[in-house]
Amino acid sequence: MEKKELLYEGKAKKVFATEDPDVLIVDYKDDATAFNGLKKGTIVGKGAINNRMTNHIFKILETKGVPTHYIEELSDRETAVKKVEIVPLEVIIRNFSAGSFAKKMGMEEGIKFKQPTLEFSYKNDDLGDPFINKYYALALDLATEEEINTIEKYAFIVNDVMREYFDSLGIELIDFKIEFGRYHGQIILADEVSPDTCRLWDKETHEKLDKDRFRRDLGNVEDAYQEVFRRLGIH
Ligand code: TMP
């Protein structure tokens, strides 16, 4: 599998074409941004950790009935994936109050919910990824009702599987964001699952082991990513 032209460079990844029109190569960067790109920095080693962690978790999810774009890990930072058309919805699941939810609801962080929440943001950087509901998504023709139902079903399976898995590593899955794509008419999980896109707290100490350390200038950012990676046991 060989990289051809650069198709897209995002905030955390580059995406390359390959000789196969159905296959792309993603190349994870150490670059980090927050607040829609206003804050910029580098988290040394992040690209390799996010690449290998995403692939590890996507493989687990495949065994639990969630189709993903994963094909093959090519190197520390590079993975061959199925070329999808991204559904422009950020799908956020929360198990505990934190982040924008805590702020919006005037709640402290870390309150366990009676049941998980699911919300959508419209994936649009110019608008700052606004919060929308299913009816907005249908009105704007971002996805069909059948696609949204599939996305919701998969998102809750992802939550169940990841919660249990992280729990076995001594980590509480507070919340996360995932994205889906269309591949030959099917909805499959795409993008990444990493400390960039999940809130992960140590179960005992409640120490934050995710990108909030960067967003909020909490220090020890690299250590947190390394600690999550170490617990995955995939070296
Ligand atoms: P929020 O509390 O800021 O809405 O974030 C919810 C979850 O989504 C959290 O795990 C971090 C993740 N997230 C992203 O992956 N990308 C983003 O751009 C934002 C704002 C949040």
Side-chain angles (χ1 to χ4, degrees):
M1 198 74 58
E2 221 179 274
K3 276 178 174 168
K4 302 271 185 195
E5 75 270 21
L6 176 67
L7 294 178
Y8 170 79
E9 178 157 6
K11 287 178 281 210
K13 296 188 272 309
K14 292 180 191 170
V15 179
F16 294 87
T18 68
E19 61 274 15
D20 185 336
D22 272 341
V23 180
L24 301 175
I25 293 175
V26 292
D27 186 338
Y28 286 71
K29 306 191 283 185
D30 284 353
D31 299 353
T33 65
F35 315 116
N36 202 13
L38 278 180
K39 181 180 179 133
K40 290 188 173 65
T42 302
I43 302 174
V44 175
K46 170 172 92 78
I49 289 172
N50 288 7
N51 179 43
R52 300 191 61 198
M53 175 167 171
T54 297
N55 295 340
H56 179 68
I57 291 177
F58 278 19
K59 283 188 241 178
I60 295 173
L61 289 168
E62 290 270 359
T63 71
K64 305 288 184 180
V66 179
T68 78
H69 72 173
Y70 175 76
I71 299 175
E72 187 189 2
E73 192 167 282
L74 301 174
S75 73
D76 260 10
R77 286 170 191 275
E78 297 163 304
T79 294
V81 300
K82 293 172 182 161
K83 181 179 184 170
V84 299
E85 179 193 359
I86 287 284
V87 177
L89 293 172
E90 301 203 336
V91 184
I92 296 158
I93 296 247
R94 302 177 191 271
N95 298 303
F96 289 77
S97 63
S100 67
F101 181 98
K103 200 170 171 192
K104 204 184 301 180
M105 295 304 185
M107 265 168 97
E108 59 179 303
E109 295 197 299
I111 309 291
K112 189 173 182 175
F113 297 147
K114 202 164 170 195
Q115 60 174 63
T117 68
L118 183 152
E119 71 200 51
F120 296 117
S121 294
Y122 176 27
K123 199 172 146 61
N124 183 317
D125 281 342
D126 293 340
L127 300 176
D129 300 338
F131 188 99
I132 62 168
N133 66 21
K134 188 171 174 171
Y135 296 96
Y136 280 42
L138 291 172
L140 297 174
D141 200 21
L142 305 181
T144 67
E145 189 155 20
E146 194 190 349
E147 285 175 335
I148 293 177
N149 291 340
T150 302
I151 285 171
E152 289 181 343
K153 181 185 77 177
Y154 286 155
F156 283 118
I157 299 175
V158 171
N159 187 44
D160 289 342
V161 172
M162 289 213 301
R163 253 181 119 163
E164 191 184 327
Y165 179 63
F166 283 118
D167 184 74
S168 76
L169 308 179
I171 291 172
E172 198 78 76
L173 178 63
I174 303 297
D175 58 28
F176 61 92
K177 183 271 297 177
I178 48 180
E179 297 180 22
F180 292 87
R182 300 181 183 98
Y183 183 73
H184 297 291
Q186 294 304 116
I187 290 290
I188 67 176
L189 184 63
D191 194 48
E192 67 177 280
V193 172
S194 72
D196 274 16
T197 61
C198 303
R199 285 198 172 92
L200 305 169
W201 293 8
D202 181 89
K203 244 169 43 178
E204 301 301 322
T205 65
H206 301 149
E207 190 190 351
K208 295 184 195 325
L209 300 173
D210 57 61
K211 194 176 165 189
D212 272 349
R213 301 205 74 84
F214 169 78
R215 295 189 188 98
R216 303 179 188 186
D217 296 319
L218 300 176
N220 301 323
V221 185
E222 277 89 358
D223 293 345
Y225 279 69
Q226 291 292 347
E227 177 60 18
V228 172
F229 188 66
R230 188 189 66 75
R231 292 192 200 187
L232 294 172
I234 50 174
H235 316 271

